[in-house]
Amino acid sequence: MSATLLINNRSYETRVALLENGQCVEVYVERHKQMSLAGNVYLGRVARVLPGMQAAFVDIGLPKAAFLYVSDVYYEPEDYQWDSEAYPNEAGRGGHNSRIELMLREGQEIMVQVAKEPLGNKGARVTSHVTLPGRNLVLMPTIDHVGVSRRIEDPIERQRLRSLIEELRPPGIGFIARTVSEGQSPDKLAAEMDFLRSLWDSIQRHRQTSAVPGLLHRDLSVSLRAVRDLFTREVDHLIIDHEGEYGQVVEFVATFMPRLLPCVELYDREEPIFDAYGVEPELARALERKVWLKSGGYVVIEKTEALTSIDVNTGRYVGGYNLEETILKTNLEAVREIACQIRLRDIGGLIVIDFIDMEREENRERVVAALKEALTQDRSKTNVLPMSPLGLVEMTRKRVRSSLVETLSEPCIYCEGMGLLRDPTTVCYEIFRTLEREFNDAGVEAVNLMVHPAVAEVLLQEERLALEELEAKLGLTIYVVPNQALHREHFELRPASPDSPPEPGPGPDVDAL
């Protein structure tokens, strides 16, 4: 499989795209006025301890306090005075059996790392178990553990890496061997281990002099993170369209992965890099609610507060002679597109997929197996449950940052995220009820009714008789004034003189009834 990593850098924004066999599969966007927070290390202050939730809010200098779960708290037991009678089983270094009110107190200083960016109305989620990723290793200074990436499948290589790290690491400090560490020499791993330990020592020194709340360590920029995490031996080319960023990336690659230096290229053509490689159409497609399949079927992706729902439909695809076979083919084609869209859009949290109902149990199992297989290319951790009798598949995907849709868009200011508007007839009837409430025996002879042109058209045509009856009932002259600037659901009522009709505005002609 050929892969290409593209970096589009401008003064206002950096975009990174990973292409596999010419298809865009991952996109990362970082706006320079709103830098990513995930991975940053802060010295914060505990703002509130919540024993009932076994969590705490920590002020790290952001508009909203960060959320810290009890299982994410690191502490040294000798720093605390334990009440052995009240809590006879509470001892040790953190974990699910410890109570947060015994570990933290309001006003206490605590070093934390952002594990999840602020999403929607929620603040950042933080942990005091800091992790510092390098090219080949991840340092875990608060956890005594050695791990190996699950993507390294060779048992002999897994054992080699585990034994090597056990031999090199200091006591009490944990490391994880990343996927790219496969086949690396002991000298290279030892050098990176020393580098990460030096970085941790630097953070500890900075903590001694930092203000509270304050930033102790900022993670790499999106372009260097992409080089660190995505630029592997499977990537044929790393292409950058900005000379300054190209220089930084070359320096980074020369330091940590010199063998891949010949793969780094500077893009100097006139056509924008994302246009030249077909990324822009994929980005536009990733923002759409409906995604068409090649067969004529389609997938509908909708985000709600609690979960993301994905619905599979046959659409224009009619198949051959067998209904079950038609449905199976549509579901299997949808599986590949769903896995691609989840990865491209960076959808996280709970995901519910509504496949087209299949009668045969073996076909259901086949679709679920195909989904799990398609998700193996995803670097984010996923968990897929068996298909329910209703044809639903529940799955989860680790969420760290906002999804692509959340990054590039915002809820509609007109429908406030509902995705629906009241139709003009409904607005007309709401206007009638408002007129009855506000102008019954009000002593007003005439009123200017300012509405959107689409509503004005219904008032003056389909609902003309109802409007005349209302005028007669209220003894009121109503001037309908179209106003293109108004939201279609909004209207304004202003007392007017019956001898001075308003000037016609944009839209249908004004009609004094």
Side-chain angles (χ1 to χ4, degrees):
M1 177 180 64
S2 63
T4 303
L5 193 60
L6 306 177
I7 298 179
N8 169 228
N9 181 272
R10 292 296 179 267
S11 60
Y12 49 86
E13 181 182 66
T14 299
R15 301 185 298 174
V16 177
L18 176 64
L19 278 62
E20 293 178 355
N21 295 326
Q23 181 181 5
C24 182
V25 295
E26 292 184 28
V27 174
Y28 301 93
V29 179
E30 186 171 87
R31 281 154 184 183
H32 299 164
K33 291 183 180 179
Q34 191 177 1
M35 301 291 285
S36 173
L37 302 177
N40 290 356
V41 180
Y42 294 87
L43 182 59
R45 178 174 282 112
V46 178
R48 190 179 177 191
V49 178
L50 308 172
M53 295 182 64
Q54 284 300 293
F57 286 110
V58 182
D59 178 15
I60 58 174
L62 300 179
K64 291 186 177 181
F67 197 73
L68 176 66
Y69 282 105
V70 63
S71 59
D72 291 322
V73 178
Y74 168 76
Y75 67 97
E76 294 290 352
E78 57 267 22
D79 294 339
Y80 298 86
Q81 298 298 321
W82 299 92
D83 186 344
S84 57
E85 294 183 3
Y87 303 101
N89 298 321
E90 306 294 343
R93 239 170 107 172
H96 297 290
N97 295 323
S98 302
R99 300 183 61 84
I100 199 163
E101 63 267 31
L102 298 177
M103 295 185 284
L104 298 177
R105 64 183 183 279
E106 292 185 9
Q108 175 182 340
E109 294 182 7
I110 182 171
M111 181 167 60
V112 294
Q113 183 176 41
V114 176
K116 289 185 179 180
E117 302 246 8
L119 299 172
N121 296 323
K122 299 178 182 179
R125 179 174 172 179
V126 296
T127 174
S128 55
H129 293 290
V130 176
T131 58
L132 299 176
R135 170 66 177 172
N136 300 288
L137 302 171
V138 177
L139 169 65
M140 302 180 296
T142 63
I143 300 176
D144 187 6
H145 172 74
V146 173
V148 179
S149 169
R150 57 189 172 89
R151 291 183 176 272
I152 300 178
E153 299 178 353
D154 184 359
I156 297 177
E157 177 62 14
R158 292 178 65 86
Q159 184 58 44
R160 183 189 78 91
L161 289 170
R162 191 181 298 275
S163 301
L164 186 58
I165 294 173
E166 288 282 9
E167 180 183 342
L168 295 173
R169 73 178 180 124
I173 294 181
F175 285 92
I176 295 176
R178 307 189 71 181
T179 306
V180 293
S181 66
E182 186 173 9
Q184 296 292 348
S185 67
D187 291 343
K188 190 160 190 175
L189 296 180
E192 185 163 312
M193 195 175 287
D194 291 340
F195 168 77
L196 292 174
R197 289 175 56 198
S198 299
L199 178 59
W200 173 242
D201 292 340
S202 174
I203 293 173
Q204 294 281 61
R205 290 193 298 271
H206 190 190
R207 176 180 182 175
Q208 305 304 317
T209 58
S210 174
V212 184
L215 177 66
L216 300 180
H217 168 73
R218 184 182 296 280
D219 199 8
L220 298 174
S221 65
V222 65
S223 54
L224 293 183
R225 284 202 313 269
V227 174
R228 180 191 68 195
D229 300 336
L230 302 176
F231 192 28
T232 65
R233 282 169 289 188
E234 287 74 31
V235 176
D236 302 316
H237 301 285
L238 168 58
I239 307 174
I240 309 167
D241 67 352
H242 186 274
E243 191 168 355
E245 193 76 8
Y246 171 78
Q248 293 183 29
V249 169
V250 165
E251 182 180 355
F252 186 89
V253 173
T255 302
F256 294 101
M257 50 199 96
R259 287 185 298 175
L260 297 177
L261 197 57
C263 300
V264 183
E265 302 176 19
L266 177 63
Y267 183 85
D268 56 3
R269 287 151 47 190
E270 291 186 5
E271 185 180 12
I273 186 171
F274 272 29
D275 289 338
Y277 286 88
V279 177
E280 292 293 359
E282 288 294 322
L283 282 178
R285 188 164 171 255
L287 297 179
E288 294 177 358
R289 174 175 171 268
K290 181 183 291 187
V291 180
W292 287 95
L293 306 176
K294 291 181 180 179
S295 66
Y298 62 90
V299 172
V300 178
I301 303 174
E302 292 186 299
K303 175 74 170 66
T304 69
E305 186 72 20
L307 52 85
T308 299
S309 67
I310 302 177
D311 185 34
V312 181
N313 297 276
T314 54
R316 297 188 297 262
Y317 180 56
V318 296
Y321 296 99
N322 189 298
L323 175 61
E324 182 78 5
E325 190 68 23
T326 299
I327 292 174
L328 176 61
K329 287 183 178 180
T330 304
N331 283 337
L332 289 176
E333 184 183 9
V335 157
R336 295 187 292 272
E337 187 62 44
I338 288 170
C340 179
Q341 290 297 321
I342 287 175
R343 188 178 175 193
L344 177 61
R345 300 179 188 221
D346 201 12
I347 299 173
L350 177 61
I351 303 169
V352 177
I353 307 172
D354 183 8
F355 287 102
I356 306 170
D357 290 339
M358 294 171 288
E359 294 182 358
R360 298 177 184 173
E361 182 64 29
E362 59 267 27
N363 288 342
R364 296 183 179 193
E365 294 175 356
R366 184 176 171 185
V367 168
V368 174
L371 178 61
K372 292 180 179 179
E373 176 63 26
L375 290 169
T376 56
Q377 299 299 320
D378 196 339
R379 295 186 306 115
S380 293
K381 184 178 180 180
T382 58
N383 181 33
V384 180
L385 299 182
M387 184 178 293
S388 75
L390 298 177
L392 300 177
V393 172
E394 298 174 68
M395 63 169 288
T396 59
R397 184 175 184 268
K398 185 178 180 181
R399 174 167 54 191
V400 176
R401 297 178 173 84
S402 299
S403 68
L404 186 65
V405 172
E406 291 168 328
T407 301
L408 301 181
S409 60
E410 62 182 15
C412 173
I413 60 174
Y414 297 107
C415 69
E416 298 179 348
M418 289 180 59
L420 298 170
L421 288 176
R422 283 176 286 180
D423 63 60
T425 301
T426 302
V427 178
C428 288
Y429 296 163
E430 183 178 345
I431 292 171
F432 294 161
R433 289 188 288 268
T434 302
L435 285 166
E436 287 193 67
R437 280 195 300 269
E438 298 187 6
F439 292 93
N440 188 19
D441 297 328
V444 177
E445 297 181 12
V447 63
N448 288 338
L449 171 58
M450 284 165 283
V451 294
H452 187 274
V455 178
E457 186 175 359
V458 174
L459 280 169
L460 299 176
Q461 295 180 19
E462 299 173 21
E463 302 300 330
R464 184 186 186 98
L465 181 59
L467 193 57
E468 289 176 347
E469 291 176 352
L470 187 61
E471 277 194 307
K473 178 180 179 181
L474 300 176
L476 189 67
T477 300
I478 302 173
Y479 296 103
V480 179
V481 186
N483 187 338
Q484 186 69 47
L486 280 176
H487 184 301
R488 202 178 77 180
E489 293 184 353
H490 295 169
F491 56 89
E492 296 179 9
L493 295 168
R494 297 178 184 175
S497 170
D499 302 324
S500 303
E503 293 295 326
D509 293 337
V510 173
D511 189 3
L513 301 177

